[in-house]
Amino acid sequence: MKNPHDDTKQAMAELDSGQGKRSATADKLFEDLGIQRFDSVWDALEETPQDAQLMRLRSTLLQEITQRVARWECLDVVAAHRLGVALPELECLREGKIHHFSLEELLAICNRAGLNVELTVTEA
């Protein structure tokens, strides 16, 4: 007799092997368990696909800004001045407080950080 946990173990092993691919076994397991799968954490958290896309854009910009600031290896007051933000806002950037900044604010900060932002549009 087949152990009912064998399919679960196999599906989890396939997921752990990763490569970002989902196997038919894993998809079936999640479907059977009523578990939703999302391509992005924002798809799971946001109410609409448009909100999720906006959050992905904001998240990307925030990550690029914090990486740039880390490469500067300067005092916080200098980094804040270069970005045109106050020290508490710099800390919010570092802590990933994404809801503190609009897309427009992050674009402006990117510009002041010397980052060029380009937009690519593709078919869904």
Side-chain angles (χ1 to χ4, degrees):
M1 186 165 104
K2 185 176 180 182
N3 184 337
H5 298 289
D6 287 346
D7 286 342
T8 303
K9 288 178 184 176
Q10 179 184 351
M12 296 309 288
E14 290 171 356
L15 288 172
D16 287 342
S17 68
Q19 310 303 323
K21 299 175 185 172
R22 290 187 229 160
S23 71
T25 307
D27 283 340
K28 175 93 171 85
L29 170 67
F30 284 115
E31 182 181 320
D32 290 348
L33 295 174
I35 297 173
Q36 282 185 283
R37 294 288 308 247
F38 298 95
D39 291 328
S40 161
V41 67
W42 298 116
D43 292 328
L45 294 174
E46 297 299 322
E47 291 186 25
T48 67
Q50 294 81 11
D51 289 342
Q53 186 174 42
L54 178 61
M55 293 306 291
R56 281 192 298 276
L57 291 170
R58 288 167 61 188
S59 176
T60 299
L61 294 177
L62 190 135
Q63 289 173 10
E64 292 296 327
I65 293 165
T66 56
Q67 289 173 8
R68 172 61 63 104
V69 170
R71 285 193 302 270
W72 286 343
E73 296 181 0
C74 63
L75 296 173
D76 286 355
V77 68
V78 174
H81 179 73
R82 287 176 76 176
L83 295 177
V85 299
L87 282 171
E89 289 176 307
L90 177 63
E91 192 60 30
C92 287
L93 285 166
R94 285 193 175 129
E95 292 175 358
K97 294 183 178 177
I98 196 166
H99 293 296
H100 188 79
F101 302 95
S102 70
L103 181 62
E104 292 82 8
E105 288 171 317
L106 291 168
L107 285 168
I109 294 168
C110 280
N111 184 267
R112 291 189 294 266
L115 296 168
N116 182 43
V117 178
E118 295 182 10
L119 179 67
T120 302
V121 179
T122 61
E123 288 191 42

